[in-house]
Amino acid sequence: MYQNHFVVDAHTHFWDGSPANQINRYGEGFIKCFHDYHSNLSPDEYKWPLEDFERYSEERMIRDLFENGYDDVAILQSTYLTDWYVNGFNTTEQNGRIAERHPGRFIVNGRWDPRDGEAGLGELERLHERWQLRGVKLYTAEWKGYSKGWKLSDPWAYRYLEKCQELGIRNIHVHKGPTVYPMNRDAFDVADVDDAATAFPALNFIVEHVGLPRLEDFCWIATQEPNVYGGLAVAMPFIHSRPRYFAQIIGELLYWLDENRILFGSDYAIWQPKWLIEKFVDFQIPDDMQGEYGVLTPQIKRKILGLNAARLYDIKVPGEFDVPDEPSDSGPAIASDSASSGAAA
């Protein structure tokens, strides 16, 4: 909790990218690419050397998220990458064990891969029974043998989305946008979200990283699909090194989606929530951009930092920190009502 903000960190990891867990050069390159993002977009005092970054302790994670970092609840996202890591990068079981040791702090999300076919559907049922999944994290560019990716619109992906719907797993987080070595950029294209979101209106599709660098594509899709949300992981760290670029990103999201469909995520351990939250609470869209984008009100910030994710995950918010769902008055430029009802029609 920070000042009067209830914080739900919708994108965190407890990974093992250490050399002992790497299978090949792709595993080594993947964690080094993460570290490059971390080094290039973090304030100097928050930068870690690679050896600390590859595998950090549970004690350090708890301190960074909940003692220093203001998180009230953190959602652990699973990323397997079993072609590159002996025990997986961060599996549902690994995440689940740390969650069990800290009750009330974490929500554990699972994952699936449509290329696993019938066996994978059974595994999803097992994960749900064991961890009571409310969400999954999907990596459409993950390599599997000779395959270098899949799409949400694939027939087998539909089988898995149907299974999620049947099991009550409502929140579908999907990495869309920035590539990570050695995966292919185009396998993270946001376009297939459009098809799946239309076909499964009862599911929530949280597009992590808001499709960057395809922000415009994402916004046009999210405008038409009321069950599409934007996750700010990777986007928010620009608040430090390129604040005007971040102002443009958040301004476009507010215009097209409205403030009820944007979620904070630190992407820990790539970035730490403490400095992201402090800077966001203090941040304002520059004066010369407010005519086009309006302003960030305290109510908008409270929704983005926690209340929107709390609503998706049925997290109880102390009454004094809650605010209504209605779009707030942020100035004449933010046309939330018209955008969310289909400005492209």
Side-chain angles (χ1 to χ4, degrees):
M1 195 170 295
Y2 180 63
Q3 298 179 359
N4 61 345
H5 300 80
F6 183 83
V7 177
V8 179
D9 192 337
H11 198 126
T12 66
H13 306 275
F14 184 50
W15 65 56
D16 180 2
S18 66
N21 195 34
Q22 295 167 10
I23 294 175
N24 47 36
R25 65 185 177 92
Y26 301 124
E28 178 186 9
F30 181 82
I31 191 66
K32 285 185 173 177
C33 184
F34 264 25
H35 189 253
D36 286 343
Y37 277 113
H38 164 81
S39 300
N40 291 331
L41 294 178
S42 297
D44 288 342
E45 61 269 34
Y46 290 94
K47 294 178 182 177
W48 297 356
L50 178 61
E51 61 187 31
D52 290 350
F53 189 80
E54 288 172 333
R55 188 176 189 183
Y56 42 91
S57 69
E58 179 177 327
E59 179 183 27
R60 184 172 198 168
M61 182 176 185
I62 296 301
R63 183 173 63 247
D64 289 342
L65 294 184
F66 304 113
E67 297 172 16
N68 298 329
Y70 313 124
D71 283 4
D72 291 287
V73 179
I75 299 174
L76 283 161
Q77 306 289 2
S78 299
T79 309
Y80 280 41
L81 304 177
T82 49
D83 276 23
W84 305 335
Y85 293 99
V86 177
N87 301 313
F89 188 62
N90 60 239
T91 66
T92 308
E93 283 79 5
Q94 292 163 357
N95 291 332
R97 286 193 288 273
I98 188 174
E100 285 186 329
R101 290 191 289 271
H102 303 276
R105 286 300 200 182
F106 291 104
I107 291 173
V108 180
N109 275 357
R111 57 79 81 174
W112 47 260
D113 186 324
R115 296 167 295 187
D116 292 335
E118 291 286 353
L121 289 171
E123 174 64 8
L124 178 61
E125 288 184 344
R126 188 194 69 79
L127 290 176
H128 177 62
E129 182 177 356
R130 175 66 180 87
W131 304 108
Q132 297 81 54
L133 303 178
R134 284 178 267 177
V136 292
K137 171 70 185 298
L138 307 177
Y139 242 56
T140 57
E142 183 170 352
W143 290 9
K144 185 176 179 63
Y146 291 106
S147 170
K148 293 188 176 180
W150 54 275
K151 294 182 179 179
L152 285 167
S153 53
D154 291 344
W156 266 101
Y158 267 40
R159 293 279 302 276
Y160 280 76
L161 291 169
E162 289 167 357
K163 178 62 71 175
C164 284
Q165 198 162 257
E166 173 189 328
L167 296 173
I169 303 171
R170 300 197 312 270
N171 299 310
I172 313 298
H173 295 251
V174 54
H175 178 121
K176 288 295 188 184
T179 192
V180 186
Y181 175 88
M183 292 182 278
N184 294 344
R185 186 195 68 165
D186 288 349
F188 282 136
D189 192 311
V190 72
D192 54 340
V193 174
D194 193 5
D195 191 277
T198 303
F200 295 91
L203 300 179
N204 305 312
F205 291 84
I206 300 96
V207 174
E208 298 293 352
H209 324 305
V210 293
L212 291 173
R214 303 179 181 90
L215 178 65
E216 187 170 358
D217 286 354
F218 167 71
C219 286
W220 281 91
I221 291 169
T223 295
Q224 298 177 68
E225 308 290 347
N227 56 333
V228 170
Y229 294 74
L232 285 176
V234 175
M236 190 177 280
F238 285 108
I239 202 170
H240 167 62
S241 58
R242 296 195 58 199
R244 289 184 66 85
Y245 179 51
F246 176 72
Q248 178 188 354
I249 293 170
I250 198 71
E252 294 291 336
L253 293 173
L254 288 169
Y255 180 85
W256 292 105
L257 276 70
D258 89 31
E259 71 265 24
N260 294 310
R261 290 196 285 149
I262 306 171
L263 277 61
F264 164 68
S266 66
D267 221 342
Y268 186 87
I270 306 181
W271 296 285
Q272 295 192 35
K274 177 179 171 60
W275 70 267
L276 290 170
I277 293 168
E278 290 175 347
K279 285 182 178 289
F280 183 68
V281 170
D282 291 341
F283 183 79
Q284 188 50 265
I285 293 173
D287 291 346
D288 64 318
M289 300 173 76
Q290 290 180 8
E292 182 173 356
Y293 293 128
V295 298
L296 279 168
T297 67
Q299 182 164 308
I300 291 173
K301 293 176 181 178
R302 285 198 290 274
K303 290 181 177 181
I304 291 173
L305 284 177
L307 302 183
N308 292 339
R311 185 176 68 253
L312 295 185
Y313 279 87
D314 297 324
I315 299 169
K316 184 174 176 53
V317 178
E320 66 269 32
F321 299 110
D322 211 351
V323 296
D325 286 344
E326 292 79 15
S328 60
D329 182 6
S330 56
I334 295 180
S336 299
D337 290 333
S338 60
S340 61
S341 61

